[in-house]
Amino acid sequence: MPIYLLIAAVIIIACVVLNKLTSRLGIPTLLAFILLGMLLGSDGIFKIPFDNFHIAEKICSVALIFIMFYGGFGTKWSEAKPIAVKAVLLSTIGVFLTALITGVFCYYILHISFWESMLLGAVISSTDAASVFSILRSKRLNLKYNSASLLEVESGSNDPCSYMLTIIVLAIMKGNAKGGEIFFMILAQVIFGLLAGVIIAFLAYEFLRRFRFETEGFDLIFVVAVAVLAYAVPSAIGGNGYLSAYLVGVILGNKPISNKKALVNFFDGTTGLMQILVFFLLGLLAFPSQLPKVVFPAILIALFLTFIARPLSIFAILTPFRCKWNQQALVSWAGLRGAASIVFAIMATIDPASTSNDIYHIVFCIVLFSILIQGSLIPFAAEKLNMIDNTVDVLKTFTDYADEVPIQFIQLKMKEEHPWIGKKIKDLPLPPDTLLVLLKRNGENIVPNGRIPLLEKDLLILSAAAPGEIDGISLTEKNVTKGDEWIGKPIAEISKEEDKLIIMIQRNKKVIVPNGRTIIKENDVLVINQVTM
């Protein structure tokens, strides 16, 4: 037992070091993990015997839960809302079209049996959220036409559809599904997945909002359990667990919950570890001696998928929306294959359905091509297609917005005989460019109101230069666009939403700390404190 733990620890450390090294050399990180797995595997130098696809499938399925959950949790809905319809169409109809077109190619050109061709199409029909997120963040790809959000939502939400297509094709191949049964299988997958996601997210949010954890870090553990529950519950009743996990991630990630920045950072690291694990297992399971037998059809499928199937699907869906051709071209190129395709390929390999081709090693080569060629060239393609927009920041499309807010906070406690005790908030002699953003009284978070008098032991949170995070502060961003009802109104006259307070305005690259007389203007970016209880 100790020797296996030692090997596992050394492998994880090696992966972390490789992550740093490949970033500096410009080599796709995931490629390094695959190569490390191949190096250590049965056909590699160290010849670690591992060919248990059943264990690998269970490990990878769990890893995919967290990848899917974070795909939703890290997506900022206010940025994604304008492109939501397009993204949903891409992640459903787009996945179906990609699978169908690729399957037809495999059947007519490569002469693979019909349902096995459809299985290959289904397995590789979705794009990899973690890979897309990683490239957008690490390369700071600020893209025009809200394309970053489009790629994030599409890649984060299309795995459930690919999963559903895969299990349906496998069921047909085993003779377990006919027309009516397929219809009800699809219905159960979608309805149970959506219902479970919404209910679990609502209950989890209410729990996080009302329950105070006595030990720091237990909120992270709780959210991990919620992610697993979001998958397990619908899966147990025939629903789509991955759809539920993604939906729970979206809902919780866009709610004003405490400690969100730490949660995003935690799941960012967890997802990175899951990706390392999946791609390392991919390399470990691969037999290089088998690759020459499948490399030719695999490369043909990869080329067809990249240059024909996905572009056809993208242009068919986005052209009616009058999207620019260069945006459609970049979205087509950025359809990276990754962890989900690997998991679904392993599922197909261990399934009793009879296949005559080496599905796993074919998908292995396709994923290798995708991350090596497509992943490396996304920044180059974005530049050549004139899709870079330096006036926006791609990090604003993620929910850990606090990283970008140029305001911090100080705490001030009303001790005995403090001169402010008994004064109303509107009468406080606050220093210039400071604002009282939160009043904490007897464990309750109160939105400041000018008529509230201060009491002994009150805790005041003021916006000013001070390090650290403050419990009760949860920042959200609102872009004031043309036609917004707030334009032209002073903050004092705006109908405030419950438990919200505007604490900063970004206007023409200038930061303004507002007061009640500050007028809201078009194109203002408002930073709002959503009080968390």
Side-chain angles (χ1 to χ4, degrees), residues 13 93 111 176 234 268 460 519:
I13 293 171
I93 297 175
H111 304 295
N176 294 340
D268 194 28
L460 281 58
I519 304 295

Side-chain angles (χ1 to χ4, degrees), residues 310-327:
R310 177 160 171 88
L312 280 177
S313 303
I314 297 299
F315 277 80
I317 292 171
L318 295 186
T319 298
F321 290 96
R322 298 183 179 179
C323 295
K324 304 285 186 181
W325 75 268
N326 55 338
Q327 181 189 23

Side-chain angles (χ1 to χ4, degrees), residues 199-211 222 226 251-252 254-258 530-533:
I199 293 171
I200 291 171
F202 172 78
L203 295 175
Y205 171 63
E206 288 300 317
F207 184 87
L208 286 169
R209 192 169 71 91
R210 300 171 187 276
F211 187 81
F222 174 77
V226 168
I251 295 173
L252 288 184
N254 288 276
K255 289 290 187 180
I257 57 179
S258 300
Q530 168 72 61
V531 176
T532 55
M533 301 301 179

Side-chain angles (χ1 to χ4, degrees), residues 212 439-446 457 471 532-533:
R212 187 174 297 275
L439 173 63
K440 300 173 77 73
R441 177 177 292 168
N442 298 325
E444 181 183 1
N445 295 326
I446 302 172
K457 297 183 180 180
D471 177 39
T532 55
M533 301 301 179

Side-chain angles (χ1 to χ4, degrees), residues 22-283:
T22 52
S23 297
R24 289 187 175 181
L25 296 177
I27 302 170
T29 304
L30 299 179
L31 175 63
F33 301 146
I34 290 176
L35 295 177
L36 179 64
M38 293 175 68
L39 186 68
L40 298 175
S42 301
D43 265 7
I45 296 174
F46 294 93
K47 301 194 180 298
I48 296 176
F50 184 76
D51 59 355
N52 193 323
F53 282 85
H54 291 273
I55 293 178
E57 191 268 339
K58 295 184 186 307
I59 294 173
C60 291
S61 295
V62 172
L64 191 57
I65 294 170
F66 293 101
I67 292 172
M68 287 297 305
F69 178 81
Y70 180 66
F73 195 83
T75 300
K76 191 173 184 180
W77 178 246
S78 61
E79 295 289 331
K81 190 175 181 180
I83 51 82
V85 173
K86 289 181 278 190
V88 169
L89 289 175
L90 288 176
S91 63
T92 51
I93 297 175
V95 167
F96 175 77
L97 288 176
T98 300
L100 179 63
I101 296 168
T102 305
V104 168
F105 171 79
C106 293
Y107 179 66
Y108 283 104
I109 305 300
L110 300 181
H111 304 295
I112 299 173
S113 65
F114 180 78
W115 284 115
E116 198 166 334
S117 296
M118 293 300 125
L119 178 62
L120 268 169
V123 165
I124 59 174
S125 59
S126 68
T127 55
D128 188 54
S131 298
V132 172
F133 282 27
S134 175
I135 290 173
L136 291 177
R137 280 192 172 219
S138 62
K139 304 299 183 183
R140 291 297 282 262
L141 283 182
N142 308 314
L143 303 177
K144 294 179 180 178
Y145 318 127
N146 223 357
S147 299
S149 289
L150 181 61
L151 287 170
E152 290 158 21
V153 178
E154 184 219 1
S155 62
S157 60
N158 59 13
D159 290 342
C161 188
S162 180
Y163 169 75
M164 186 167 63
L165 290 176
T166 300
I167 62 172
I168 287 172
V169 173
L170 287 172
I172 293 172
M173 292 175 71
K174 289 181 291 187
N176 294 340
K178 302 197 178 344
E181 293 174 346
I182 293 173
F183 174 76
F184 285 112
M185 185 185 297
I186 294 172
L187 209 61
Q189 284 273 310
V190 175
I191 292 177
F192 291 154
L194 289 174
L195 281 176
V198 170
I199 293 171
I200 291 171
F202 172 78
L203 295 175
Y205 171 63
E206 288 300 317
F207 184 87
L208 286 169
R209 192 169 71 91
R210 300 171 187 276
F211 187 81
R212 187 174 297 275
F213 295 91
E214 295 297 329
T215 304
E216 188 174 350
F218 270 41
D219 54 338
L220 303 180
I221 298 172
F222 174 77
V223 177
V224 167
V226 168
V228 174
L229 192 68
Y231 171 82
V233 170
S235 296
I237 56 176
N240 194 317
Y242 295 119
L243 174 61
S244 174
Y246 176 76
L247 188 59
V248 171
V250 170
I251 295 173
L252 288 184
N254 288 276
K255 289 290 187 180
I257 57 179
S258 300
N259 207 21
K260 183 183 288 184
K261 181 181 175 182
L263 283 168
V264 172
N265 291 337
F266 171 77
F267 278 104
D268 194 28
T270 301
T271 302
L273 180 61
M274 294 299 107
Q275 266 202 308
I276 289 172
L277 181 62
V278 169
F279 280 89
F280 176 76
L281 280 176
L282 172 65

